[in-house]
Amino acid sequence: AIYAVTAQTTPQKGNLTGKWKFEAPYAPEGYNTGSIEISFAENKYSTAISMTGSDYKIPGDKTKVENDTVSFLVIIEGNEIAISLKAESDVKMTGKAVYLEGEIPLTLTKELQQK
């Protein structure tokens, strides 16, 4: 008998939490890289986004995590931006930021904890 070992394609819940580095090449200067933190506490998920070069964290609102997707809202410079992400693997997510003027594709890479 031949046993095939297949990589698990659906990430386990909980693997979405942590710090993710994002790249949004089409976003305005200053908003095209940064990090998104997804945390789980008191039975609910929360999110925060920060831009590269800034320590200021913008809290996410209406954070929803379902299976391998994450969605939340952030207000940046008075604009409401809806972010939706889908896990491609344990260390990669893709998605988009939708705002009044259109949508911007996002790519996220998990920042692995230094031992």
Side-chain angles (χ1 to χ4, degrees), residues 70-97:
V70 179
S71 61
F72 61 97
L73 298 173
V74 284
I75 308 282
I76 296 176
E77 289 187 6
N79 299 304
E80 186 177 84
I81 300 166
I83 294 179
S84 58
L85 307 166
K86 184 170 175 26
E88 305 286 328
S89 73
D90 289 349
V91 292
K92 184 173 192 262
M93 279 200 268
T94 54
K96 59 185 191 231

Side-chain angles (χ1 to χ4, degrees), residues 3-110:
Y3 295 100
V5 176
T6 56
Q8 188 151 4
T9 49
T10 50
Q12 296 302 304
K13 254 194 174 108
N15 287 354
L16 298 178
T17 57
K19 197 169 185 185
W20 296 77
K21 194 170 161 299
F22 78 84
E23 286 177 32
Y26 304 106
E29 193 65 47
Y31 296 98
N32 46 14
T33 62
S35 63
I36 292 176
E37 268 180 75
I38 302 168
S39 37
F40 183 78
E42 293 165 13
N43 292 323
K44 64 183 200 321
Y45 285 93
S46 61
T47 47
I49 186 168
S50 55
M51 305 305 154
T52 299
S54 166
D55 290 332
Y56 180 66
K57 286 187 180 147
I58 302 161
D61 195 26
K62 298 187 169 76
T63 300
K64 224 165 65 192
V65 175
E66 289 172 332
N67 300 326
D68 57 354
T69 62
V70 179
S71 61
F72 61 97
L73 298 173
V74 284
I75 308 282
I76 296 176
E77 289 187 6
N79 299 304
E80 186 177 84
I81 300 166
I83 294 179
S84 58
L85 307 166
K86 184 170 175 26
E88 305 286 328
S89 73
D90 289 349
V91 292
K92 184 173 192 262
M93 279 200 268
T94 54
K96 59 185 191 231
V98 180
Y99 66 118
L100 208 56
E101 291 165 37
E103 61 181 57
I104 295 169
L106 299 171
T107 309
L108 280 72
T109 317
K110 190 156 200 179

